[in-house]
Each structure stands twice: as structure tokens, then as C-alpha cells.
Amino acid sequence: MASVQQWAAAVDRGLVGPGADPAERGLVYGTAAAGTGLAVAAVAPAAPPLWAVALVGLVAFDLFGGAAANATAAAKRAFHAPGRTARHHLGFVAAHGQPFLLALAVPGLGWVAAAVLYALALAGAVAVTAAPGAVRRPVAFSATALALGVTTVTVDVPGELAWLAPVLFVKLLLGHLLPEESRG
């Protein structure tokens, strides 16, 4: 049986990235905690069942923390290591079905809205991974801006989940899909 220390190290590697330094870990966990607090405080006045509040909190922890984590050098080394392909990146984005989980927990978020958010993340990921390296960064920012525009104009998201689309798109399209820029 693994010790608590081994378990904590495995969680740390999985959430922050292998080889993360203390500053990266602190930033990721601090962002995850603050985002979770914000999301829970936003949904609590609607008085949902405790399981729904817990689910919103878990999703927020993952998305807010992941937005910070995916921008760290540790995550960039792991996600953009030799042998990592567009298929790996698209699989990571496809695994983020959190809009559907939140549609279960928050009555104001419908299945169509969840599907639109999910489809926009996937479409953006396809555009970014298909783009040539020289324009991948501007394509990611364009896809994020357009996805946020579409979401804002066409998707009915309850106020307590107003954070969902921006944080989801930042985590996946800007954080996860972009490799570290080389420094000259």
C-alpha cells in the first residue's frame, strides 16, 4: 500500500506536472483553491443539493487549477515531449466533458448549452492542432476569442457558471495546446 507521501506525489505529478517546482505547485493549487471558492460561492445562493455544490467545486478545482497548471514549464515538458502527437492533445481536450457534468448539477445549464461549449472546445482544438507551428499560437488565441464570442452571444449559461466557458477555453486552447515558446 502506498504511503500518504507517495499518494501526494502522484497527485502532484498528475495535477501540476512531473518535476514542478514549489512556485509552480503553489500557483496551481492557489489558483485551484481560489477558483473553487469563487465557483462554490457563486452557486451556493441558488441552494442546490450538497452533491451539486461538491460537483461544481470539483469541476472548478480542475478547470481553474488546470488553467494555471497547463501554463507551467512542468506541464509543457510533459504535454509537448517528443512523441506527443495531435491525437494525444485532442484526446486530452475530448476528455474534458465537464460542461455535461455541470448540466447535471446546475438546472440553468441545459444539455444544448453544454454540447455547444464542448463542441467549441473540440473545434478550437482541431483548428490549433491542424495549424502549422508558425501560426499555432495566433490560431489558439483566435479560436479562444471566437469561442468566447459565440458562447457569449448564443449560449444561455446561468450567472453562477459565467466562469465556465472562459476558464475551459483558457485551460484547453491556450494552456494545454500551446508548447512553450523558445526564448532567444
Side-chain angles (χ1 to χ4, degrees):
M1 186 165 165
S3 72
V4 171
Q5 233 175 2
Q6 290 170 321
W7 182 84
V11 168
D12 200 38
R13 278 191 309 275
L15 292 178
V16 183
D21 65 34
E24 289 174 321
R25 286 193 300 275
L27 181 63
V28 169
Y29 288 118
T31 303
T36 300
L38 174 73
V40 167
V43 78
L50 185 57
W51 70 265
V53 175
L55 184 60
V56 168
L58 287 171
V59 169
F61 188 89
D62 174 60
L63 294 182
F64 280 95
N70 286 344
T72 66
K76 296 299 182 187
R77 285 190 302 270
F79 289 132
H80 297 279
R84 301 293 292 182
T85 66
R87 186 175 181 180
H88 293 108
H89 295 297
L90 292 172
F92 182 85
V93 173
H96 282 77
Q98 287 92 330
F100 298 110
L101 291 174
L102 291 177
L104 286 171
V106 180
L109 183 64
W111 292 104
V112 171
V116 170
L117 292 172
Y118 185 76
L120 287 168
L122 281 178
V126 168
V128 173
T129 57
V135 295
R136 189 163 290 144
R137 184 169 300 277
V139 167
F141 276 84
S142 297
T144 300
L146 290 170
L148 288 170
V150 168
T151 301
T152 303
V153 173
T154 66
V155 178
D156 190 18
V157 175
E160 60 266 27
L161 294 180
W163 55 268
L164 175 59
V167 178
L168 179 72
F169 299 144
V170 166
K171 174 186 177 176
L172 298 176
L173 303 180
L174 299 180
H176 175 73
L177 294 175
L178 295 178
E180 190 69 21
E181 285 273 313
S182 61
R183 295 189 171 96

